[in-house]
DNA sequence: CGCCAGATTGATACACATCAATTCTCGTGG
DNA sequence: CCACGAGAATTGATGTGTATCAATCTGGCG
């Protein structure tokens, strides 16, 4: 049941963030084909763009895995400042916590399919299959490493370094973007809230790079990396 | 063997950071008593204050657990900017990665005893005992949650909010500091590099809080929280 | 066609960095 | 016991990168 729980709901940008659909609104969640190491332990759930999968403060009863689309983990302070901790894509695990409440909200950046696991069931499955536990640990520790890199970015990099790093990072994860064409699933605000900047600064830096011919974009969501070398020099320390 | 590997050594503050002692210099590493869930899988190692346990870029052959003292995980860019990802205390695991090279250096903040594990041996031990795997996962996912909170701090908090948050956080982890007395193992520079600030800003904010009677300190490393309420209000979103 | 959210651009403000002295602390040796 | 030196902390003066405030522009959609 999707009862209205007493979670810390964002105070400022309320209108934008909606609860996930009640289960009844999704008569037939599409079956997931690529189950990976997780067999049939979970349930596939679809979530519409810009809806929350869960809110910070909700009881942490489930853990998840992205099947398709993009998810963001984020937190909003009382006065409306928002930080996005990570953008997650196909295969990424999230909410794999031991605390009794979620500390970050998870929201669908695009229309998304996620697989939902009961924590209890996963614990049992791991007892039977140590390799499953190994897989989970590998993914979580990978995310820890990514978070640490993100800390360096937020703590010590300038605006242009952050953006260069972000773009390069995106291209690495983009499956079929061998050239330099990147499809940005997120908008400039998400962009800014991930990098600890404002929308205006993101816009200025992006258009600065565009003017210098380092990147190109007609529509804001369709960026091409023209001079990867320059970008990598800007990005510096990986 | 502690062969000189081809690791990315910090270019700027070279003098400060020294290799760990060769094993031969530690004839009898003191036996560790509190082995926790890890039995006798590891070896106790002592590392002197301000020496590195390993460097970013070194082959990631071992993982560690802090037995006593404080360890910092940090990265230095070519031009000398430094970010500390975390301060680790007794019981904390680190270097629990699947990548082939460490991405962050680990350094002793105080004189430190760490337990060192071979990754291969741990993997085997986990196969035998799933609960060990569960313990490890719990710790790593706890660190991921802490890293995410740190991201919010670096991305969206002001200098005073960062410092208030840091102080409160420290007190929570300090074992016997029920009152408000905190013993800072790290100096102002570490302080600043964890919070993404400069030493000067840290000093100014700390002395500002002191003037307002929120905190007190005679020596810089011995801080007392006088008005926890005020601090918590400053710290805001946990 | 007109609306609206998102993106861009411009003018200005400000929090923190940077540069530059002091001051403090503590270990060391005369 | 005190002068000395060195590293850390503090304090002050000034600079600057990014935020903030405020329009304006753009493209999609009813």
């Amino acid at each position: 049941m999707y009862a209205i729980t007493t979670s810390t709901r964002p105070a400022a940008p309320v209108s934008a963030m909606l609860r996930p659909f009640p289960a009844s609104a999704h008569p037939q969640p599409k079956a997931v084909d690529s189950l990976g190491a997780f067999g049939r332990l979970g349930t596939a759930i679809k979530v519409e763009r810009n809806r929350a999968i869960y809110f910070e403060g909700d009881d942490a009863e489930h853990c998840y895995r992205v099947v398709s689309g993009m998810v963001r983990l984020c937190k909003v302070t009382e006065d409306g400042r928002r930080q996005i901790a990570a953008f997650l894509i196909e295969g990424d695990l999230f909410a794999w916590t031991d605390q009794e409440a979620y500390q970050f909200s998870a929201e669908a950046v695009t229309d998304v399919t996620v697989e939902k696991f009961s924590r209890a069931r996963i614990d049992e499955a791991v007892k039977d299959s140590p390799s499953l536990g190994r897989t989970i640990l590998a993914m979580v520790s990978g995310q820890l490493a990514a978070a640490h890199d993100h800390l360096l970015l937020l703590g010590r990099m300038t605006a242009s370094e952050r953006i260069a790093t972000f773009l390069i990072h995106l291209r690495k994860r983009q499956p079929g973007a061998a050239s330099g064409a990147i499809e940005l699933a997120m908008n400039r605000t998400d962009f800014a809230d991930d990098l600890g900047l404002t929308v205006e600064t993101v816009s200025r830096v992006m258009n600065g790079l565009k003017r210098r011919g380092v990147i190109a974009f007609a529509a804001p969501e369709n960026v091409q990396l023209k001079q990867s070398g320059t970008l990598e020099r800007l990005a510096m320390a990986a």
Side-chain angles (χ1 to χ4, degrees), chain A residues 118-194:
Chain A
S118 127
R119 277 168 63 177
R121 189 174 306 179
I122 285 286
D123 273 351
E124 280 173 30
V126 169
K127 265 177 209 138
D128 298 339
S129 153
S131 84
L132 177 62
R134 198 66 194 67
T135 304
I136 294 170
L137 178 59
M139 300 220 57
V140 174
S141 79
Q143 287 181 24
L144 180 60
H148 283 172
D149 283 342
H150 202 172
L151 289 173
L152 176 67
L153 181 146
L154 291 177
R156 290 305 185 200
M157 285 184 161
T158 66
S160 7
E161 288 168 346
R162 293 181 201 198
I163 288 186
T165 307
F166 187 72
L167 289 174
I168 288 172
H169 199 82
L170 268 184
R171 188 184 44 183
K172 272 190 209 144
R173 301 210 300 177
Q174 199 106 104
S179 63
I182 301 181
E183 190 70 28
L184 299 189
M186 70 292 286
N187 62 21
R188 293 284 186 268
T189 306
D190 282 348
F191 212 109
D193 287 342
D194 184 66

Side-chain angles (χ1 to χ4, degrees), chain A residues 82-94:
Chain A
R82 188 176 73 145
Q83 178 66 42
I84 295 181
F87 292 109
L88 306 176
I89 57 175
E90 184 176 338
D92 287 334
L93 305 179
F94 61 103

